Amino acid sequence: MSPVLELEALCLMQGLDRGGREDVDPQLLDTRWAMGFAAGIPDDNPLFYATDRDGGVVVHPLFPVAAEWQLIMAIRGNGTGLSTDEVRRGIHVGHDLILHQPLDTAGTTGRHVHLTVRTVAVGRHRAGATQTLEFVGSTADTPLWRTRMTSLYLGVELDGEPLASDDPWPDSPHTLDASHVVPLATETS
């Protein structure tokens, strides 16, 4: 018998049918953390380290992943009915990020970022069950970013019907002309 992602428990715990949200204490988005993230990727763009720049350093556009990590680890498997081993079968299969404003202004850097997360979809895939989480990062009721992250739990069956939130998500941006595409990898292994 395959492990089961318990839909009802998941929805009640993470608020899919009630709009509830899990959150953590606000995290301070400061220059040191922003520069540390850029260095750890590594990205040597000088704007990510320019402490003398008006408005502070430019924060890397993928920085929200670092801010969300604490919340991901805190809720991982909560209310799903999955064992620790089953949770470890989860793989990251989708990630959409919308920045509502640049993360380089004096109004953002040095302020606390409040994070919330909720499940917006659970579904079936031939390889297992899927779960999509939506994160919102904000300061003082001003949205900074939204992220939708999808995990696939390999070999896990969904107990119940697939369910998705009615909350809108923007369409993907238009595809660029192939002459403007820069390959991320130039060699194969």
Side-chain angles (χ1 to χ4, degrees), residues 108 125 138 155 175 186:
T108 301
H125 185 276
S138 60
T175 304
T186 57

mmCIF file of all heavy atoms in Angstrom, residues 108 125 138 155 175 186:
data_model
loop_
_atom_site.group_PDB
_atom_site.id
_atom_site.type_symbol
_atom_site.label_atom_id
_atom_site.label_comp_id
_atom_site.label_asym_id
_atom_site.label_seq_id
_atom_site.Cartn_x
_atom_site.Cartn_y
_atom_site.Cartn_z
ATOM 1 N N THR A 108 12.982 48.990 2.395
ATOM 2 C CA THR A 108 12.928 47.535 2.547
ATOM 3 C C THR A 108 14.096 47.036 3.369
ATOM 4 O O THR A 108 13.919 46.356 4.361
ATOM 5 C CB THR A 108 12.960 46.847 1.161
ATOM 6 O OG1 THR A 108 11.851 47.302 0.403
ATOM 7 C CG2 THR A 108 12.888 45.341 1.310
ATOM 8 N N HIS A 125 -0.269 13.151 -9.533
ATOM 9 C CA HIS A 125 0.689 13.056 -10.624
ATOM 10 C C HIS A 125 1.002 11.575 -10.765
ATOM 11 O O HIS A 125 0.902 10.837 -9.783
ATOM 12 C CB HIS A 125 1.949 13.861 -10.264
ATOM 13 C CG HIS A 125 2.951 13.937 -11.348
ATOM 14 N ND1 HIS A 125 3.884 12.943 -11.567
ATOM 15 C CD2 HIS A 125 3.191 14.888 -12.278
ATOM 16 C CE1 HIS A 125 4.641 13.278 -12.584
ATOM 17 N NE2 HIS A 125 4.250 14.463 -13.037
ATOM 18 N N SER A 138 6.020 40.524 3.218
ATOM 19 C CA SER A 138 5.553 41.912 3.260
ATOM 20 C C SER A 138 6.206 42.656 4.418
ATOM 21 O O SER A 138 6.706 42.048 5.357
ATOM 22 C CB SER A 138 4.029 41.962 3.402
ATOM 23 O OG SER A 138 3.631 41.323 4.604
ATOM 24 N N GLY A 155 5.810 8.469 -4.997
ATOM 25 C CA GLY A 155 5.225 7.237 -4.483
ATOM 26 C C GLY A 155 4.141 7.446 -3.447
ATOM 27 O O GLY A 155 3.752 6.517 -2.748
ATOM 28 N N THR A 175 7.214 34.670 -24.000
ATOM 29 C CA THR A 175 8.477 34.025 -24.319
ATOM 30 C C THR A 175 9.346 34.995 -25.113
ATOM 31 O O THR A 175 8.869 35.664 -26.019
ATOM 32 C CB THR A 175 8.232 32.749 -25.148
ATOM 33 O OG1 THR A 175 7.349 31.909 -24.414
ATOM 34 C CG2 THR A 175 9.526 32.026 -25.424
ATOM 35 N N THR A 186 26.344 25.369 -20.448
ATOM 36 C CA THR A 186 26.949 25.288 -21.783
ATOM 37 C C THR A 186 27.611 23.937 -22.017
ATOM 38 O O THR A 186 28.053 23.660 -23.115
ATOM 39 C CB THR A 186 27.983 26.400 -21.985
ATOM 40 O OG1 THR A 186 28.970 26.308 -20.954
ATOM 41 C CG2 THR A 186 27.317 27.766 -21.958
#
